[in-house]
Amino acid sequence: CCIRGNQGPGVDVSGRAKVSAVGCEIQANVGGVWLWDDAKTVLSQCKMEGGDSHVLLADGDCLPSVRSCLVRGMVQATAEAWEGISHETNTFIEPAKPVELPPEDGPFKFEPIWYQRKQ
């Protein structure tokens, strides 16, 4: 598969969602693979880059498993998530320029639900 040209992350996984990808190319997006909450992902033999944002962002209690992948760009992850990302079969290449999270407007505009709190 090839995931490219999005104005947000190529893959954005949240809640208790699960994603499995083998041999995919995730590039030319605003972010690569982002995981939130209790999401799980298995990435194998993929080529990923984050464009203007993070190639891998793993927050909350997510459980990524990244094996035999080319990871080009900035990785931001909790200590627990990093254990599933930092496998010796992966190749990590630093970003060519500094990256940042997208601005909070458009699809990233935060609109709180006052009776529901997400942490």
Side-chain angles (χ1 to χ4, degrees):
C1 72
C2 182
I3 302 170
R4 63 181 304 123
N6 294 291
Q7 297 301 307
V11 179
D12 194 354
V13 191
S14 62
R16 290 179 287 190
K18 298 176 184 175
V19 170
S20 177
V22 178
C24 290
E25 291 187 19
I26 303 166
Q27 54 191 342
N29 302 295
V30 180
V33 178
W34 292 5
L35 296 102
W36 309 96
D37 309 317
D38 295 310
K40 294 177 177 59
T41 186
V42 176
L43 305 171
S44 177
Q45 301 171 0
C46 294
K47 295 179 182 176
M48 300 174 276
E49 63 96 21
D52 291 336
S53 195
H54 299 77
V55 62
L56 285 169
L57 191 147
D59 198 19
D61 294 322
C62 66
L63 293 173
S65 175
V66 182
R67 301 289 185 267
S68 302
C69 291
L70 174 64
V71 181
R72 182 184 309 268
M74 180 66 67
V75 175
Q76 180 174 324
T78 62
E80 294 81 13
W82 180 245
E83 291 178 21
I85 296 170
S86 62
H87 197 263
E88 63 189 22
T89 61
N90 295 322
T91 301
F92 293 92
I93 300 173
E94 294 203 21
K97 60 182 181 176
V99 300
E100 58 186 33
L101 291 171
E104 289 192 26
D105 59 358
F108 297 100
K109 183 176 180 181
F110 176 69
E111 295 179 6
I113 300 172
W114 297 109
Y115 300 105
Q116 184 179 18
R117 186 171 163 188
K118 183 177 178 181
Q119 293 185 2

